[in-house]
Amino acid sequence: MKCIEVTIWLFLAAVVSAKPPNMVFMLMDDMGWGDLGVYGNAAKETPNLDKMAAEGMLLPSFYSANPLCSPSRAAMLTGRLPIRNGFYSTNAHARNAYTPQNIVGGIPDSEILFPELLLQAGYATKIIGKWHLGQQPQYHPLKHGFHEWFGSPNCHFGPYNDVTTPNIPVYRNASMAGRYYTDFPINRSTGESNLTQLYIQEAVDFIHKSVGAGSPFFLYWTPDATHDPLYASKTFLRTSSRGLYGDAVRELDYGVGVILKLLTQLGVASDTLVIFSSDNGGATYAKEMGGSNGPFLCGKETTFEGGMREPTIAWWPGLVA
């Protein structure tokens, strides 16, 4: 399971490094196993991720703990299976592992999240993008081990025009910075949005700040451009042979390249473990607006290989190859 494998990777990082290593976890949203060139996608539109794999380690048999966003993310951050961390589904009334906008619950306070442990070890911690472990303030990232947050409790659904269902909020730390579609535009007709670029710049600023302060850091980078409704910035729109979904993948690939290049430029690449993965498989129900799960059966929301086998790469120059 992904949650166990990530825990092992991070444990090894602490053991083999002479000093506390920096850690960057890039978690994509609904990206399929077959979306990357290195995994055999014929479009070959992910040069930075392919390069990351060539320089690091490809993990072709890497699994999520659940084929749905919230329980998969909860498992990764707690290192515990969904049935143990509180995010799981049954057939009982209102017992669903997904956390929609109007849910009142979230990640239990009793759960110890990985960033909470890093906080105690003196790390600077930040989440950029989608949280999805509770909408209410008591469940937000700053209550569960993160110093900083720029992103949303949920995905970019909407726009909502009914006054009883406002557009989903975007937060900067504990304060609401605005809402999707109103303050952070997403054009549902063209798919144009600058959100991924904002998430890339937030990552760049956080890494610069952390390296300048001399503190180890944990960056949890969770953009959601490949989750329907899809989006990409103007520079990447209509540049992929795979349509809007491919545009989103190309921009995320670009973001990965920016982050890895920055780590190298700042001289901290050899002190930084980077893991790239996805929360669950591609949404086959989205058809051409969803990802590719390669040769595997089904996708998101199913426990077949396509739903739980994730495109995963580990990168740590000098230590992972």
Side-chain angles (χ1 to χ4, degrees):
M1 292 296 182
K2 180 201 305 185
C3 55
I4 298 170
E5 292 204 28
V6 169
T7 302
I8 292 172
W9 272 108
L10 298 177
F11 171 76
L12 290 175
V15 170
V16 303
S17 182
K19 60 181 181 179
N22 307 311
M23 303 175 195
V24 178
F25 195 89
M26 303 173 175
L27 189 66
M28 302 300 104
D29 203 345
D30 292 4
M31 185 177 282
W33 190 93
D35 279 331
L36 311 186
V38 70
Y39 277 100
N41 190 279
K44 297 291 183 183
E45 294 178 340
T46 54
N48 293 295
L49 284 161
D50 298 349
K51 182 173 183 285
M52 179 184 179
E55 296 174 351
M57 181 180 291
L58 195 65
L59 303 173
S61 299
F62 200 80
Y63 291 84
S64 65
N66 193 280
L68 193 62
C69 304
S70 297
S72 170
R73 292 161 192 261
M76 193 283 292
L77 287 174
T78 62
R80 282 156 51 83
L81 294 173
I83 193 66
R84 299 187 181 277
N85 66 36
F87 271 89
Y88 63 95
S89 297
T90 71
N91 290 327
H93 174 67
R95 185 68 213 168
N96 192 302
Y98 167 60
T99 53
Q101 184 180 8
N102 57 356
I103 197 170
V104 296
I107 189 73
D109 285 338
S110 58
E111 290 299 315
I112 300 173
L113 276 61
F114 184 67
E116 295 179 55
L117 300 178
L118 293 179
L119 211 60
Q120 296 173 17
Y123 275 71
T125 58
K126 182 165 186 170
I127 171 175
I128 299 170
K130 175 179 168 181
W131 171 239
H132 222 197
L133 296 183
Q135 316 297 317
Q136 307 303 320
Q138 66 267 33
Y139 301 114
H140 285 181
L142 270 62
K143 301 289 187 180
H144 295 278
F146 286 98
H147 283 119
E148 300 179 31
W149 179 29
F150 178 73
S152 176
N154 207 327
C155 215
H156 52 283
F157 299 119
Y160 300 115
N161 298 317
D162 187 334
V163 293
T164 63
T165 310
N167 287 328
I168 293 169
V170 176
Y171 283 82
R172 181 171 294 283
N173 300 324
S175 301
M176 198 175 82
R179 293 183 182 274
Y180 288 136
Y181 298 97
T182 51
D183 307 282
F184 296 91
I186 304 171
N187 189 317
R188 289 296 300 270
S189 298
T190 65
E192 182 176 350
S193 172
N194 206 40
L195 278 169
T196 297
Q197 290 300 315
L198 291 177
Y199 293 151
I200 294 170
Q201 189 58 51
E202 287 286 325
V204 168
D205 293 344
F206 175 70
I207 293 171
H208 267 294
K209 182 174 67 173
S210 299
V211 172
S215 63
F217 61 86
F218 173 56
L219 172 60
Y220 183 41
W221 196 62
T222 64
D224 62 353
T226 45
H227 188 298
D228 185 60
L230 308 171
Y231 64 80
S233 66
K234 187 175 183 178
T235 301
F236 290 89
L237 281 178
R238 293 176 292 281
T239 63
S240 170
S241 62
R242 302 178 64 199
L244 182 54
Y245 183 87
D247 296 341
V249 171
R250 289 195 68 243
E251 187 165 22
L252 292 169
D253 175 78
Y254 166 80
V256 170
V258 169
I259 292 171
L260 297 185
K261 183 177 180 181
L262 178 62
L263 293 171
T264 301
Q265 289 175 337
L266 295 178
V268 296
S270 60
D271 300 320
T272 306
L273 170 64
V274 183
I275 295 177
F276 175 94
S277 192
S278 178
D279 58 353
N280 48 250
T284 52
Y285 57 77
K287 303 188 184 306
E288 72 273 7
M289 300 298 278
S292 166
N293 296 311
F296 301 119
L297 182 65
C298 293
K300 179 181 178 180
E301 298 182 0
T302 79
T303 53
F304 290 106
E305 292 281 300
M308 299 182 68
R309 193 157 170 165
E310 314 305 341
T312 305
I313 303 168
W315 185 86
W316 192 355
L319 287 171
V320 173

